[in-house]
Amino acid sequence: MKKNTMKKATVVLLTSTILFTGCAQKDPERYNNYENTQKGVGIGAFLGALIGAVASGGNHAKGAVIGGVVGGALGGTIGYSMDEQAGQIAKELDEKVDNTPQAVVNPDNDIVISNTQKYVKIMLRDKMVFDTNSSTPTQEAARKIEKISNVLTKYPDTIVQVVGFTDSRGTYEYNQKLSEQRAKSVGDIFFNNGIQNQIYSKGCSYNKPIVPNKTKEDMALNRRVEIYLYPNTESVIDACSNQ
């Protein structure tokens, strides 16, 4: 690769990185609606294509290879970062990272920490987080969230998404409002802890149950708050959907 071409690719990479990360860091409204995160979808794909095209000097086949190498390197870094954050949060909460399906259906687990290459998920069981018919977190829950916040101070670019879920008793509209209130109240604790991360909250009513809402025990499993930690907007999922 010619020096000028490599130099151009480097300039594009640095400029694009500053442009898109700077917006998040300088945004004064760190606590917004979840839907705003969707605006960032596609940025990573755009950057990969742009870098590949510039670095290859117009050679599309060569550009694809370069883009793949760059994308692979970035993906490996993101995966490591998610593993690292999951491990640190588990240590802070005196828990372990458990990616098995059995973890979330075990009623003895008030907290389940899992991770993928794209995000970390912290599930907080409703009985630990809220008193009956309340959307205000308990003192125990507030302490747990504070410990998670302590880890997030090391990762200010991580996006925090708090999602509330209910069981199927009552109307969909009632549960939607309750799930939103509970998600927001947990998000408020993160925000009030002073972390610099962007924080979003979302209610899912009784969508996406862990198990069918057939018994009181099953309903208790479905009442929960899930905290998602994302490395970037590309990784954000629709937490209310099974897709």
Side-chain angles (χ1 to χ4, degrees), residues 30-135:
R30 295 184 291 108
Y31 193 8
N32 305 304
N33 288 328
Y34 158 79
E35 284 74 12
N36 290 338
T37 63
Q38 298 302 315
K39 295 178 181 178
V41 175
I43 288 176
F46 168 76
L47 290 179
L50 185 61
I51 293 167
V54 174
S56 66
N59 185 322
H60 296 297
K62 188 175 181 181
V65 173
I66 294 171
V69 171
V70 172
L74 292 175
T77 302
I78 289 171
Y80 172 76
S81 176
M82 291 296 97
D83 286 342
E84 187 179 58
Q85 290 181 56
Q88 290 184 17
I89 288 170
K91 183 178 180 180
E92 190 77 18
L93 296 176
D94 196 24
E95 299 283 344
K96 63 180 180 179
V97 178
D98 192 341
N99 293 318
T100 64
Q102 293 76 20
V104 295
V105 297
N106 185 343
D108 295 329
N109 291 339
D110 286 341
I111 301 175
V112 178
I113 303 166
S114 59
N115 72 304
T116 70
Q117 289 293 309
K118 289 190 174 183
Y119 58 82
V120 174
K121 183 172 75 173
I122 307 150
M123 189 207 72
L124 305 178
R125 197 77 73 191
D126 181 83
K127 64 180 182 180
M128 186 271 289
V129 184
F130 305 103
D131 291 327
T132 304
N133 296 322
S134 172
S135 60

Side-chain angles (χ1 to χ4, degrees), residues 164-227:
F165 298 87
T166 67
D167 60 39
S168 61
R169 292 176 298 178
T171 66
Y172 184 90
E173 290 73 18
Y174 169 82
N175 283 291
Q176 178 64 34
K177 184 177 180 179
L178 179 61
S179 64
E180 289 174 357
Q181 289 173 339
R182 290 184 165 183
K184 185 178 184 304
S185 64
V186 171
D188 286 344
I189 296 178
F190 277 116
F191 185 77
N192 292 331
N193 282 335
I195 63 174
Q196 297 303 304
N197 309 69
Q198 298 234 5
I199 308 166
Y200 303 86
S201 64
K202 183 178 179 69
C204 295
S205 188
Y206 47 71
N207 292 320
K208 199 178 176 181
I210 293 174
V211 293
N213 285 289
K214 294 182 178 180
T215 66
K216 289 182 179 180
E217 292 76 17
D218 289 343
M219 289 181 180
L221 291 176
N222 291 326
R223 295 192 300 270
R224 66 201 189 274
V225 169
E226 294 179 349
I227 301 166

